[in-house]
Amino acid sequence: AAAGSSAAAEEEEKKRRERMECKWSWSGDRLVAEVVERKGPKKTVREIQLMFPARKVGVIIGKGGVNIKIIEGKSQAKLQIHKPKPAGPGEEEASEVLVTVKGTPEAVDKACETINIIFAQRPPPSAGGGARSGSA
């Protein structure tokens, strides 16, 4: 009889895990996932909106769009970068840029993980050293 009750508990745990999803947000210098319980049914397509520091958007796109192609290729999610409207006279440039990630829930998570990998491969501009630092 014990086996039957553990199977029911296992089934309940499986259902609970299926209700969990990652809520992504920018923190410090990377995307962080917070596991939250989804309200309502699992959607086949998920769309999340992330605010990135404007200086990081070039890294996501990459030279000639190479990075965004890698992210979309690995994850099968679509990324849309919303260009901020140009600053008017006396206004400051937008410090954050909206990026929409759309795809299956798994594809969205994979895209966010891939973005983190790309950021991890690039040394921050403030890091000293490298070929560019010359004596002035």
Side-chain angles (χ1 to χ4, degrees):
S5 63
S6 72
E10 235 174 76
E11 187 61 33
E12 190 54 43
E13 175 61 22
K14 186 177 171 215
K15 281 183 182 166
R16 194 185 70 76
R17 272 200 311 269
E18 284 176 3
R19 286 196 306 268
M20 301 315 243
E21 65 184 19
C22 291
K23 181 180 172 202
W24 293 91
S25 60
W26 182 259
S27 176
D29 63 348
R30 61 190 312 248
L31 286 170
V32 289
E34 177 192 348
V35 178
V36 293
E37 193 164 331
R38 186 181 57 253
K39 309 283 184 261
K42 183 174 182 175
K43 295 178 176 77
T44 51
V45 175
R46 186 166 172 225
E47 184 174 320
I48 62 169
Q49 297 188 326
L50 299 165
M51 293 304 288
F52 281 95
R55 67 183 192 284
K56 292 284 190 184
V57 173
V59 179
I60 297 170
I61 298 167
K63 199 172 200 165
V66 67
N67 287 350
I68 201 164
K69 286 177 188 147
I70 290 169
I71 296 163
E72 291 183 340
K74 280 191 174 194
S75 67
Q76 301 299 305
K78 285 277 165 239
L79 270 71
Q80 183 178 4
I81 294 166
H82 304 268
K83 290 228 184 292
K85 58 180 198 270
E91 291 179 346
E92 281 190 38
E93 287 292 318
S95 62
E96 291 189 317
V97 175
L98 176 67
V99 177
T100 304
V101 183
K102 187 175 183 177
T104 64
E106 295 76 19
V108 169
D109 289 343
K110 181 74 175 160
C112 292
E113 289 161 10
T114 307
I115 289 169
N116 274 341
I117 291 167
I118 287 169
F119 283 141
Q121 288 172 347
R122 289 192 51 112
S126 59
R132 286 189 212 145
S133 64
S135 53

